[in-house]
Amino acid sequence: MTLSKNFEHQINEHKWYSHWLDKQYFKSTPDERTPYTIVMPPPNVTGVLHMGHCLNNTIQDILIRQARMKGFNACWVPGTDHASIATEAKVVAMLRERGIAKSSLSRDEFLSYAWEWKEKYGGIILQQLKKLGCSLDWDRTTFTMDKDYYDSVINIFMDLYKKGVIYRGKRMINWDVKALTALSDEEVIRKETRQKLYHLNYAIEGTNDNITIATVRPETIMGDTAICVHPDDERYKHLHGKFAIVPLINRRIPIIADDYVAMDFGTGALKVTPAHDVNDYALGQKHQLEIVDIFNDNGTLSEDAQIYIGLERFEVRKKIAIELEEKGFLIKTEEYTSEVGYSERTDVVVEPRLSMQWWLSMKDISSPALKAVMEEEIKFYPPKFKNVYRHWMENIKDWCVSRQLWWGHRIPAWYHESGKFVVAKNEKDAIAVFETEHNISNAVLKQDEDCLDTWFSSWLWPFEVFKGYSNPNNADINYYYPTNTLVTAPEIIFFWVARMIMAGHEYMDVKPFQEVYFTGIVRDKQGRKMSKSLGNSPDLLELIDQYGADAARFGIMIASPAGNDILFDETALEQGRNFNNKIWNALKLIKMWEVRQTHEHTNENDFAINWFENRLSEVSIEVEQMMKQFKLSEALKTIYTLIWDDFCSWYLEWVKPGFEQPIQANVYNKTTEFFTDLMQLLHPFMPFISEEIYHQLDKRNDDLCVRLLIEKDSPNQTQLDQGVLLKQVISGIRDVRNKQQMKPKDSIKLFIQTEEKPVFESLMPILSKQVNANEISFANDTVANSFTSVIGKDKFYILTEQPIDLSTQKSALEKELSHLKSFLISVEKKLSNEKFTQNAKQEILDLEYKKKADAEMKINIIELSLKDMIG
RNA sequence: GGGAGUUUAGCUCAGUUGGUUUAGAGCAUCUGCCUUACAAGCAGAGGGUCACAGGUUCGACUCCUGUAACUCCCA
């Protein structure tokens, strides 16, 4: 069978993924083996695959595939998140396109559209993950609104309510005036925004005096209920206890003093609007100020504003500024840049607002979760995130769990027209409880219209995918939980990771995972975060089509050091594709040998085989170590070098027979064995090509995907050192050849002056092949009319037909000599320093003496050579 | 304003408790090669006063202090 020119990724990806599925290699059920479990961070149900998912899921697949090959019962659970805000926003937009307003629909009608949308577009992303080669147990696919999952979310809400940690309260929240919902602090994006700072005059009651305040929100003056100054501010001391008059509406408000005010900002006088600013609210509470809410839900002004009723807030800002100026209240404006909060979902400016919401008290529930991480019961990689986590957990605030949305888990609270309410699983229960509690009959109750925050369902993920709460102590949860590794983005450390740890401790009494690996954030070449709005996120599926899934995996992994952001560059994928090509060509070479085997046996390839065997052990052990520390990028680099340089560039060249010459059968067999081992090392990173090569190399009854990794013995250091020496000598001599502009076809005669003849004897067959020497022998002295090269402690004389130009040689030797001399001086200086010889450890001292001796010897050799040249 | 982090070759990064032949990779660059698996390749080379300024030490990329720039989180 002839092999294609290059690795055909499209055919092979499809072929192998379906084969793996047919064989059910990704399916996991509890058995006697030790489990290795990962739950996938569920992407938004209507999401599409982007670079962040690619990175995240490639890492998980590498870990899972490696675990599978190491004999663990590997289980990787897929699923999707209902993503209440994001999905509802998409459904609303879709309906709007069809000319349907959400407000014209009943809740049930809206939800049927939403489910329709979910059935149509939901889970596309999971299909896309198959293209990447992800080895997920598809039978376990979970959705956060599956029946059991939904019930668990509701039950947990009721349980926490019973425990008294869920409460209802009017609090300052972040209000999204477009989505008409409350946002958690984490859903608010702060952006540097250019604004105007307006200086406004408020008249002091009963005087002709004024006080000037500075504000960026002149449209909120109708909500002002005080003016605040610093108690020590000399400029305003005379005004303490007096009253000011709000312009345009003429409300009388007190002038209060509080050291919260910064004297050096603006005018040092602050207008206080408790209904529309978090800090003002706190100030209002402290000084018992009146609260005047001047906004409607949608960001227009309410009747309480008295003026500009029904107009939009930013429009009012413009208009009121003009009116204030016309009426003489506006003193001046200045440019001012500060951070303003925007909704993560709708990108509108967030309105701080007082609202009745459901809250979860975090103090008690969070303390075991803090402890678990600080005491490394759960390990974070990289560990720097421990600090971030601690800082947040120690300053944790209560969690606003309600959202003014329909798509999600509906809050199980039921209200009576009297305003009293009960929390219950369904209407029947609610009525029963309510009637008993309040001793009435025929109560009519209405369920809360709001939904729970998405994270209030995803914090159950690690156990509820195994139905650990809905069906306690089932076989799966007992076997797979706690899971092993969580791979996620650092951005959601608080949203999700921290809360999963809390839920795990609260409901399973155990941590949800052993370790968390935080990936970097994928950025573009300019370092910008990839996002839809910037349009700088490449189409991953197109890239996979173009370069292949293995190349995409390679490209994203090679550039992603543990915990650092990765700058995505398409050339990395090209590198991955080239790597595929290299591997493929090595296969082609070996397949050419297959048909030309001889059972004649010589030992001229023994060195190459021994060396590579040791090199393979060395690297296998290194890779194993790196993987344990999540140095995946380094592990991949190491394997890449082993395959490209050590295997292809060195080993294969060393054992390669001459043109159309046969290869010894034992060499051929060893070579395919090595290649197999290499593919096994590579498999977790690049599953498709490695599986294909595995089957190309030999007739197999099994698949690489599930082949068990055999632990390697530790390598023989002498063999490895000799390999290094051989490579150095080959490169050194090739360098001379290059510098002398010898053609590859020009052969040379080589003389070696060494104290280690036996070593070089075993290297000779390879050496002659690699530097094109038709004759190699040992010399005890200088060889006339030759080029000299000093490599390590040995001297090489190269004899050619070509006329000799010694000048380049000479200057090279002189350069080397001066380098060695200054090196020697620095070593000698160190050694003559008494304090050094007294304090340094013996092994350090020995090393310095060795450095000195080596340098002296090399200097000696080079000086002799130079002398010969002159002579 | 508070906290965390980063700064090593043109780019992306390694560099383990201070000492490993006066700092290592990959990519890019340069030189020479269509050599028989691979030009998506082969052979070789050049390139860094380790952000800056001090300090501790026999010895600092590594530890300490300060400065600067950038990044992230929180007010």
Side-chain angles (χ1 to χ4, degrees):
Chain A
M1 190 182 78
T2 54
L3 290 169
S4 55
K5 184 171 186 301
N6 293 328
F7 174 64
E8 290 172 334
H9 63 262
Q10 269 144 339
I11 298 166
N12 279 296
E13 283 163 15
H14 183 256
K15 178 175 85 183
W16 289 116
Y17 202 85
S18 0
H19 178 75
W20 294 329
L21 284 183
D22 285 350
K23 292 275 190 174
Q24 303 207 318
Y25 289 146
F26 308 156
K27 196 171 160 52
S28 169
T29 46
D31 60 21
E32 70 290 346
R33 290 175 296 167
T34 310
Y36 179 85
T37 315
I38 297 182
V39 291
M40 179 175 102
N44 289 358
V45 66
T46 59
V48 290
L49 202 61
H50 61 64
M51 297 313 292
H53 297 122
C54 176
L55 172 68
N56 199 255
N57 288 290
T58 301
I59 291 171
Q60 293 173 64
D61 195 42
I62 290 167
L63 297 175
I64 277 287
R65 282 181 187 270
Q66 207 212 14
R68 194 178 288 125
M69 292 173 103
K70 282 167 82 175
F72 291 97
N73 184 347
C75 180
W76 185 16
V77 183
T80 48
D81 190 308
H82 66 286
S84 56
I85 299 182
T87 305
E88 179 148 334
K90 277 187 188 168
V91 174
V92 168
M94 175 271 290
L95 289 171
R96 196 182 297 126
E97 248 169 61
R98 289 205 224 159
I100 307 169
K102 183 188 163 191
S103 54
S104 72
L105 298 174
S106 71
R107 185 186 189 103
D108 286 343
E109 283 166 341
F110 177 82
L111 284 178
S112 77
Y113 279 117
W115 277 104
E116 194 183 295
W117 168 273
K118 184 258 167 187
E119 293 311 325
K120 194 166 168 195
Y121 299 103
I124 287 180
I125 191 162
L126 297 181
Q127 295 310 310
Q128 292 174 327
L129 285 173
K130 292 182 178 172
K131 299 236 173 216
L132 247 188
C134 294
S135 56
L136 287 145
D137 184 352
W138 295 107
D139 294 345
R140 295 184 179 275
T141 306
T142 303
F143 176 50
T144 50
M145 279 168 71
D146 286 343
K147 175 78 175 67
D148 287 347
Y149 203 114
Y150 191 106
D151 289 348
S152 290
V153 171
I154 299 302
N155 287 330
I156 279 177
F157 180 93
M158 293 196 302
D159 179 64
L160 291 170
Y161 179 75
K162 266 190 215 124
K163 286 174 179 161
V165 285
I166 280 187
Y167 62 94
R168 250 178 127 228
K170 212 170 193 185
R171 294 278 285 269
M172 202 52 129
I173 46 123
N174 304 297
W175 181 257
D176 182 328
V177 300
K178 194 168 167 194
L180 299 182
T181 181
L183 302 172
S184 68
D185 288 347
E186 287 80 6
E187 287 161 324
V188 175
I189 315 262
R190 295 196 151 73
K191 291 193 236 174
E192 285 273 301
T193 307
R194 286 188 62 151
Q195 305 188 78
K196 279 195 179 110
L197 193 60
Y198 298 84
H199 292 245
L200 304 178
N201 263 356
Y202 285 43
I204 307 292
E205 189 192 38
T207 68
N208 290 327
D209 206 1
N210 282 312
I211 181 165
T212 308
I213 58 94
T215 180
V216 291
R217 301 204 61 187
E219 73 277 16
T220 64
I221 61 169
M222 294 80 81
D224 290 353
T225 52
I227 283 179
C228 188
V229 296
H230 196 281
D232 301 336
D233 196 331
E234 294 298 333
R235 294 172 291 180
Y236 303 118
K237 273 198 170 160
H238 65 289
L239 296 176
H240 293 180
K242 297 217 155 105
F243 288 85
I245 304 296
V246 178
L248 309 182
I249 58 165
N250 299 322
R251 182 191 291 124
R252 180 173 174 266
I253 56 173
I255 295 171
I256 58 173
D258 195 293
D259 56 16
Y260 160 75
V261 178
M263 285 191 272
D264 55 355
F265 180 79
T267 60
L270 178 75
K271 75 183 201 59
V272 185
T273 322
H276 303 298
D277 183 278
V278 184
N279 297 315
D280 290 11
Y281 178 71
L283 212 52
Q285 293 278 298
K286 191 169 163 190
H287 295 267
Q288 290 161 357
L289 299 175
E290 194 189 343
I291 294 168
V292 179
D293 184 343
I294 61 157
F295 288 124
N296 295 312
D297 290 356
N298 62 2
T300 58
L301 270 66
S302 69
E303 295 201 351
D304 287 340
Q306 303 179 39
I307 49 176
Y308 297 110
I309 296 162
L311 290 182
E312 195 273 332
R313 54 190 170 148
F314 292 111
E315 200 185 335
V316 174
R317 183 178 298 179
K318 281 184 209 150
K319 290 198 163 140
I320 204 168
I322 295 167
E323 187 178 348
L324 287 165
E325 185 167 20
E326 283 169 357
K327 296 192 173 161
F329 294 105
L330 181 64
I331 308 305
K332 66 164 180 178
T333 62
E334 56 186 349
E335 291 294 322
Y336 173 66
T337 304
S338 69
E339 289 197 327
V340 174
Y342 291 80
S343 165
E344 188 187 26
R345 306 292 178 185
T346 60
D347 203 37
V348 299
V349 172
V350 165
E351 193 63 56
R353 189 158 190 262
L354 274 178
S355 168
M356 188 61 91
Q357 301 289 336
W358 289 92
W359 297 82
L360 174 55
S361 164
M362 298 298 269
K363 223 176 155 203
D364 295 337
I365 203 172
S366 67
S367 68
L370 173 60
K371 202 171 141 221
V373 172
M374 293 328 287
E375 290 176 2
E376 305 219 340
E377 190 199 330
I378 297 173
K379 286 190 94 170
F380 278 9
Y381 294 90
K384 68 177 177 189
F385 288 110
K386 252 174 88 175
N387 266 336
V388 180
Y389 180 83
R390 194 193 63 211
H391 196 254
W392 190 74
M393 291 293 269
E394 283 176 350
N395 297 290
I396 198 161
K397 286 181 274 176
D398 286 356
W399 176 12
C400 177
V401 294
S402 45
R403 293 290 182 276
Q404 286 60 51
L405 297 166
W406 284 345
W407 177 247
H409 307 80
R410 190 170 181 179
I411 293 174
W414 306 78
Y415 301 88
H416 185 252
E417 56 181 3
S418 63
K420 290 173 182 147
F421 67 91
V422 288
V423 168
K425 195 175 173 92
N426 52 44
E427 189 170 11
K428 215 179 120 210
D429 286 7
I431 290 173
V433 173
F434 190 87
E435 290 182 346
T436 327
E437 269 181 20
H438 297 97
N439 199 20
I440 54 169
S441 50
N442 300 323
V444 179
L445 300 181
K446 236 182 116 204
Q447 190 176 358
D448 197 310
E449 288 294 322
D450 292 350
C451 276
L452 289 163
D453 180 13
T454 298
W455 303 104
F456 194 87
S457 60
S458 38
W459 70 329
L460 316 180
W461 191 250
F463 55 83
E464 198 44 33
V465 294
F466 300 114
K467 306 208 187 297
Y469 186 77
S470 47
N471 180 18
N473 285 313
N474 70 70
D476 278 355
I477 192 77
N478 290 342
Y479 182 72
Y480 294 111
Y481 190 91
T483 68
N484 293 72
T485 313
L486 176 78
V487 179
T488 191
E491 313 160 282
I492 53 176
I493 184 167
F494 309 128
F495 279 125
W496 195 46
V497 180
R499 289 168 184 164
M500 279 192 289
I501 300 175
M502 295 176 207
H505 281 96
E506 183 75 16
Y507 288 102
M508 295 290 119
D509 288 325
V510 191
K511 61 185 172 179
F513 25 71
Q514 323 272 6
E515 51 192 8
V516 184
Y517 173 81
F518 291 101
T519 67
I521 295 166
V522 184
R523 299 175 180 279
D524 68 6
K525 252 178 123 175
Q526 286 114 58
R528 298 174 307 178
K529 194 171 157 181
M530 286 196 170
S531 72
K532 222 183 256 165
S533 52
L534 271 173
N536 59 350
S537 186
D539 183 335
L540 189 64
L541 294 172
E542 251 170 53
L543 290 175
I544 290 177
D545 267 355
Q546 192 184 344
Y547 295 100
D550 287 331
R553 292 166 67 115
F554 178 96
I556 197 113
M557 287 313 297
I558 201 75
S560 71
N564 279 350
D565 287 357
I566 79 164
L567 296 190
F568 179 77
D569 188 351
E570 213 174 300
T571 59
L573 301 210
E574 222 172 283
Q575 197 187 341
R577 182 205 53 191
N578 294 354
F579 186 35
N580 270 342
N581 185 230
K582 186 72 189 176
I583 297 170
W584 192 249
N585 275 290
L587 174 73
K588 276 160 73 181
L589 176 68
I590 292 167
K591 293 309 268 185
M592 277 171 56
W593 299 344
E594 188 179 22
V595 292
R596 282 199 297 264
Q597 294 185 55
T598 166
H599 290 278
E600 224 177 276
H601 185 87
T602 66
N603 53 11
E604 65 177 22
N605 290 309
D606 290 358
F607 179 84
I609 289 171
N610 270 329
W611 169 76
F612 194 77
E613 194 132 47
N614 282 295
R615 192 59 194 126
L616 196 55
S617 306
E618 186 184 27
V619 171
S620 303
I621 293 165
E622 271 174 34
V623 166
E624 169 74 24
Q625 288 304 315
M626 290 171 183
M627 296 290 284
K628 270 191 195 147
Q629 299 164 56
F630 289 99
K631 294 183 173 175
L632 305 190
S633 155
E634 259 188 90
L636 178 57
K637 269 182 199 164
T638 308
I639 296 169
Y640 175 80
T641 307
L642 178 69
I643 292 176
W644 198 307
D645 295 345
D646 291 306
F647 186 65
C648 294
S649 297
W650 296 115
Y651 173 79
L652 288 180
E653 293 297 332
W654 292 352
V655 300
K656 190 176 179 178
F659 184 50
E660 293 192 340
Q661 294 295 302
I663 189 157
Q664 291 166 32
N666 70 313
V667 178
Y668 177 80
N669 290 334
K670 269 290 175 192
T671 305
T672 54
E673 233 176 75
F674 291 154
F675 207 168
T676 302
D677 283 356
L678 290 173
M679 288 305 99
Q680 195 169 10
L681 263 184
L682 182 65
H683 182 77
F685 297 89
M686 299 172 77
F688 295 108
I689 189 168
S690 51
E691 186 77 79
E692 173 67 13
I693 301 264
Y694 180 70
H695 288 271
Q696 288 284 353
L697 281 171
D698 213 338
K699 265 198 115 55
R700 316 275 192 178
N701 299 316
D702 63 346
D703 291 295
L704 185 60
C705 179
V706 288
R707 187 182 154 109
L708 287 183
L709 264 167
I710 294 157
E711 257 187 56
K712 299 278 181 191
D713 299 330
S714 51
N716 175 332
Q717 197 55 46
T718 315
Q719 288 275 338
L720 290 171
D721 291 345
Q722 286 182 8
V724 172
L725 175 69
L726 176 58
K727 290 184 198 173
Q728 272 175 1
V729 170
I730 292 170
S731 294
I733 293 170
R734 280 174 175 171
D735 185 30
V736 173
R737 294 185 56 119
N738 254 339
K739 293 229 165 84
Q740 296 303 324
Q741 298 187 315
M742 288 181 210
K743 290 258 155 29
K745 279 176 185 159
D746 299 338
S747 65
I748 57 166
K749 286 188 174 44
L750 183 67
F751 298 88
I752 307 173
Q753 189 180 345
T754 178
E755 284 169 12
E756 310 222 37
K757 285 187 185 172
V759 174
F760 278 96
E761 242 146 38
S762 72
L763 302 179
M764 270 186 187
I766 294 172
L767 198 53
S768 67
K769 203 191 299 190
Q770 291 278 280
V771 301
N772 192 12
N774 54 16
E775 198 185 313
I776 302 184
S777 46
F778 292 107
N780 296 319
D781 208 343
T782 313
V783 175
N785 299 319
S786 68
F787 298 101
T788 316
S789 184
V790 180
I791 299 159
K793 299 172 198 168
D794 309 302
K795 220 167 154 183
F796 298 82
Y797 304 101
I798 298 155
L799 219 55
T800 84
E801 313 264 296
Q802 236 174 270
I804 294 181
D805 170 18
L806 288 178
S807 60
T808 48
Q809 250 246 261
K810 211 177 138 192
S811 64
L813 284 177
E814 275 163 352
K815 201 174 151 195
E816 172 86 16
L817 186 66
S818 76
H819 173 255
L820 280 168
K821 278 184 170 165
S822 58
F823 175 66
L824 183 63
I825 290 168
S826 80
V827 175
E828 280 172 340
K829 210 169 138 192
K830 222 187 239 183
L831 284 169
S832 63
N833 183 336
E834 261 176 50
K835 285 186 176 168
F836 171 68
T837 48
Q838 276 164 17
N839 292 320
K841 279 182 283 186
Q842 190 57 42
E843 61 220 68
I844 305 293
L845 268 173
D846 289 347
L847 190 76
E848 290 302 315
Y849 282 116
K850 192 168 178 313
K851 279 184 192 173
K852 182 171 183 257
D854 286 356
E856 279 168 346
M857 189 189 63
K858 283 184 198 167
I859 287 171
N860 190 24
I861 294 176
I862 292 174
E863 278 177 339
L864 273 176
S865 303
L866 284 169
K867 215 164 106 194
D868 287 342
M869 281 183 188
I870 298 157

